[in-house]
């Protein structure tokens, strides 16, 4: 069972470079999410999408952009990476954006910005 | 005060012991309560999902919700080394709010 696939699993990136983190789900879920997880801060929502063609800002959106061209894919782009964006990034999905729907997570991308 | 408070631990217990984890919250609008388990270098996986106050049992796991006290708990009976992980509480009104996670180590 695939569920959510994230790529790459890890990456080292020079500051100032751009990077796109990929996320694909095969569950036909309408809603998708991007989080970052940092020690001592927990999971924080970056951006979300309740359905293909729409996106919204989460708690920490600055420096990140997303697109949702279709149901399955939800890429996260860092246009000009900075060291503070060093983190573990998780993509998640849920059946829809309703509050009673649990989210299902991928295994993350570990990103280091030097 | 953070919206969801969870003691990060770590919590070390001997194999076979009962593990007790809890979270407190301040937002009375939260209606749905979840526990996620996260193994090292993996994503969180949904472990328990509850809606109402009271207990929900699934095998060795029991989730407890007390809405009047704004307090949720997770109990793991007969703990195993394979239960060693970080456990995150999560709760939802119109969006999902996570606790910071509690690392549990079960010692054989």
């Amino acid at each position: 069972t695939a569920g959510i696939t994230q790529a790459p699993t890890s990456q080292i990136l020079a500051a100032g470079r751009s990077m796109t983190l990929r996320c694909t789900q095969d569950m036909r879920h309408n809603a998708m999410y991007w989080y970052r997880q940092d020690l001592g801060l927990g999971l924080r929502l970056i951006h979300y999408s309740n359905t293909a063609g729409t996106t919204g800002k989460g708690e920490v959106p600055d420096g990140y952009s997303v697109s949702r061209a279709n149901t399955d894919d939800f890429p996260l782009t860092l246009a000009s990476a900075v060291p503070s964006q060093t983190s573990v990034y998780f993509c998640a999905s849920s059946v829809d954006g309703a509050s009673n729907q649990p989210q299902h997570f991928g295994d993350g991308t570990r990103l280091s910005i030097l | 005060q953070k919206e969801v408070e969870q003691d990060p631990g770590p919590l070390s217990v001997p194999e076979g012991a009962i593990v007790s984890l809890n979270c407190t919250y301040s937002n009375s609008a939260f209606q749905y309560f979840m526990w996620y388990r996260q193994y090292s270098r993996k994503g969180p996986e949904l472990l328990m999902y509850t809606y109402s106050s009271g207990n929900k049992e699934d095998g060795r796991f029991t989730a407890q919700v007390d809405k009047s006290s704004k307090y949720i708990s997770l109990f793991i009976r007969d703990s195993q080394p394979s239960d060693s992980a970080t456990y995150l509480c999560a709760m939802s009104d119109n969006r999902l709010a996570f606790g910071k996670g509690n690392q549990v180590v079960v010692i054989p």
Side-chain angles (χ1 to χ4, degrees):
Chain A
T1 57
I4 294 181
T5 301
Q6 291 187 237
T9 55
S10 64
Q11 183 74 46
I12 299 173
L13 187 68
R17 301 295 296 269
S18 66
M19 173 87 188
T20 294
L21 280 59
R22 302 185 299 279
C23 175
T24 299
Q25 54 105 357
D26 64 1
M27 298 176 282
R28 305 304 293 173
H29 284 176
N30 284 311
M32 297 187 75
Y33 313 84
W34 275 106
Y35 292 87
R36 59 179 291 174
Q37 188 176 42
D38 302 286
L39 195 64
L41 297 175
L43 283 162
R44 292 182 291 169
L45 183 65
I46 303 171
H47 285 288
Y48 66 93
S49 168
N50 284 333
T51 189
T54 69
T55 63
K57 293 181 179 180
E59 181 185 356
V60 288
D62 294 343
Y64 306 95
S65 63
V66 292
S67 61
R68 188 86 184 279
N70 57 62
T71 297
D72 298 343
D73 302 299
F74 191 41
L76 176 74
T77 297
L78 289 68
S80 180
V82 295
S84 62
Q85 292 177 310
T86 293
S87 187
V88 183
Y89 291 86
F90 289 101
C91 180
S93 72
S94 61
V95 170
D96 56 36
S99 58
N100 65 336
Q101 293 297 327
Q103 294 179 17
H104 303 271
F105 287 79
D107 281 338
T109 293
R110 282 154 186 79
L111 185 61
S112 296
I113 312 298
L114 304 179
Chain B
Q1 181 189 10
K2 291 285 187 183
E3 199 169 36
V4 180
E5 296 277 5
Q6 183 177 11
D7 184 350
L11 178 65
S12 294
V13 300
E15 182 176 355
I18 295 174
V19 175
S20 174
L21 305 171
N22 57 74
C23 289
T24 59
Y25 61 95
S26 57
N27 184 355
S28 58
F30 286 140
Q31 298 183 59
Y32 307 98
F33 303 90
M34 287 149 264
W35 285 94
Y36 284 82
R37 178 175 61 195
Q38 185 176 18
Y39 290 116
S40 179
R41 304 186 72 80
K42 292 290 188 179
E45 59 177 323
L46 183 66
L47 191 62
M48 298 288 282
Y49 174 88
T50 58
Y51 168 66
S52 58
S53 284
N55 293 354
K56 180 178 180 179
E57 198 171 306
D58 184 359
R60 295 184 295 109
F61 299 90
T62 299
Q64 190 174 80
V65 174
D66 183 346
K67 288 186 177 180
S68 62
S69 300
K70 298 191 182 65
Y71 187 93
I72 69 171
S73 299
L74 178 71
F75 301 98
I76 308 173
R77 292 184 300 281
D78 187 24
S79 58
Q80 303 295 309
S82 59
D83 295 326
S84 298
T86 296
Y87 292 81
L88 298 92
C89 62
M91 44 202 78
S92 174
D93 49 2
N94 60 359
R95 70 211 157 53
L96 199 57
F98 286 89
K100 293 182 181 179
N102 193 326
Q103 185 182 4
V104 173
V105 178
V106 180
I107 302 166

